[in-house]
Amino acid sequence: SAVISQKPSRDICQRGTSLTIQCQVDSQVTMMFWYRQQPGQSLTLIATANQGSEATYESGFVIDKFPISRPNLTFSTLTVSNMSPEDSSIYLCSVNTGLGQPQHFGDGTRLSIL
Amino acid sequence: QKEVEQDPGPLSVPEGAIVSLNCTYSNSAFQYFMWYRQYSRKGPELLMYTYSSGNKEDGRFTAQVDKSSKYISLFIRDSQPSDSATYLCAMSGNTDKLIFGTGTRLQVFP
């Protein structure tokens, strides 16, 4: 399976600032996904990122708050904008190789907002 | 009602026990079913992947899917302390969107 690297692995940020999380894959993949994992809750899909097109956001998530870039088939970024304490969470990147195929995850970015 | 229900545990068992982890779901369109294992401070790691109903075995792990009951299970035989982790069920239909359970925390003590 693909090896997925996320940076940073953790960060502590001030309220009102923005942070960009990077996701690098060791092979070309069509689909990349961004999830949020809050304590005691399910992983929740934020958006799906396809190369060469706008990201598709799930209900409750908007581009202004979580802009996503997908410049090529091995890389994506997620920005968490104008952060508040409610954004404290683990953010995870995943990839798959096609519809119905299982997703593989990076180790996540642990984000705390003061 | 959540689309996927999973008992959060924690579940504590002695080494060598057989562990049964379960999820129920409400969406009959789900046809791809996965189990992930997540260690502390790590991302989810794919353990088992099944399509439609039936059983799948991989070493000490067996996944079962009963679509008629909307119920999936993961069995771990001869459990080891290294199996101590959170186990997440996930499923999808005819899109790439995965719906996850909340995870069951398992502790295997020596």
Side-chain angles (χ1 to χ4, degrees):
Chain A
S1 61
V3 176
I4 303 156
S5 302
Q6 273 189 247
K7 292 181 180 179
S9 59
R10 62 172 59 225
D11 208 339
I12 301 173
C13 300
Q14 295 295 322
R15 186 192 303 247
T17 62
S18 298
L19 178 74
T20 295
I21 302 167
Q22 298 179 4
C23 180
Q24 179 76 53
V25 190
D26 68 344
S27 58
Q28 293 185 342
V29 294
T30 306
M31 309 289 285
M32 297 183 77
F33 308 87
W34 287 97
Y35 287 83
R36 184 172 69 184
Q37 186 176 27
Q38 295 180 308
Q41 297 188 26
S42 309
L43 272 75
T44 302
L45 181 63
I46 296 171
T48 302
N50 292 333
Q51 193 264 338
S53 63
E54 294 285 332
T56 303
Y57 289 82
E58 296 298 311
S59 175
F61 298 97
V62 295
I63 188 171
D64 290 345
K65 177 67 176 177
F66 298 102
I68 287 171
S69 77
R70 179 80 199 273
N72 57 52
L73 292 174
T74 63
F75 187 78
S76 178
T77 67
L78 170 75
T79 298
V80 186
S81 303
N82 188 24
M83 290 183 286
S84 67
E86 293 71 36
D87 295 319
S88 296
S89 187
I90 300 172
Y91 292 86
L92 292 152
C93 168
S94 75
V95 305
N96 74 1
T97 56
L99 180 63
Q101 296 302 305
Q103 292 179 24
H104 299 276
F105 288 81
D107 280 339
T109 296
R110 284 151 183 79
L111 183 57
S112 298
I113 314 303
L114 301 179
Chain B
Q1 182 188 6
K2 293 180 181 178
E3 277 192 286
V4 178
E5 299 277 359
Q6 184 176 9
D7 187 334
L11 182 62
S12 185
V13 302
E15 183 175 357
I18 296 174
V19 175
S20 173
L21 304 167
N22 311 292
C23 288
T24 60
Y25 63 96
S26 58
N27 189 342
S28 58
F30 288 151
Q31 52 186 331
Y32 302 99
F33 303 91
M34 286 139 272
W35 285 94
Y36 288 87
R37 177 175 62 195
Q38 187 173 25
Y39 291 114
S40 180
R41 304 186 184 283
K42 290 289 189 179
E45 170 194 10
L46 180 69
L47 271 181
M48 300 290 283
Y49 166 67
T50 53
Y51 170 70
S52 193
S53 286
N55 295 357
K56 185 174 183 178
E57 187 173 323
D58 184 1
R60 296 185 295 112
F61 299 92
T62 300
Q64 289 185 352
V65 175
D66 183 348
K67 290 190 71 178
S68 63
S69 301
K70 298 189 179 67
Y71 188 87
I72 69 171
S73 300
L74 177 71
F75 297 95
I76 307 174
R77 291 182 299 280
D78 187 25
S79 56
Q80 303 295 310
S82 58
D83 295 328
S84 298
T86 297
Y87 290 80
L88 302 157
C89 65
M91 47 200 80
S92 65
N94 58 0
T95 71
D96 286 297
K97 181 176 179 179
L98 283 183
I99 307 299
F100 280 84
T102 53
T104 299
R105 192 156 59 91
L106 171 67
Q107 183 173 4
V108 181
F109 56 90

